[in-house]
Amino acid sequence: MLTLTSGAVQVIRSVTADPELPPETGIRIESGVNGSEALRLSVAPAPEAGDQVVEEEGARVYLEPTVATLLDDKELDAQVEPTGDVAFTIAAGAT
């Protein structure tokens, strides 16, 4: 199962902390469009049917079923760039 670094937990909690968002709001990762190998990441109010849910310390990530398989042994990290942009990275999981 995908694991989250402490950096990813902090960033996801920050991104989804808006009190006007539903309490189940998380980050959803899905496959790209038109056969693209890139993954798409977006803020989602809740998981979609069939999504795998990864939750750690209040940070929620919703994985489209095919993406869940692809990222099964991976680790999600995130950091805020000096410009204020958020950068997510996926790497081999810690052993």
Side-chain angles (χ1 to χ4, degrees):
M1 177 179 285
L2 178 73
T3 58
L4 308 178
T5 66
S6 60
V9 168
Q10 290 176 359
V11 169
I12 293 167
R13 287 174 50 187
S14 175
V15 168
T16 60
D18 185 334
E20 293 187 22
L21 294 173
E24 312 78 39
T25 299
I27 299 295
R28 185 164 194 269
I29 304 175
E30 59 189 325
S31 52
V33 292
N34 299 328
S36 169
E37 291 184 15
L39 298 176
R40 288 189 340 165
L41 188 142
S42 61
V43 175
E48 293 187 13
D51 280 357
Q52 180 182 84
V53 178
V54 177
E55 184 171 358
E56 190 168 325
E57 298 177 31
R60 291 175 197 83
V61 177
Y62 306 129
L63 302 171
E64 178 185 65
T66 55
V67 171
T69 301
L70 178 70
L71 301 181
D72 187 49
D73 60 346
K74 304 291 188 268
E75 181 176 73
L76 180 68
D77 191 18
Q79 62 184 15
V80 179
E81 300 289 335
T83 60
D85 293 332
V86 175
F88 285 92
T89 55
I90 296 172
T95 54

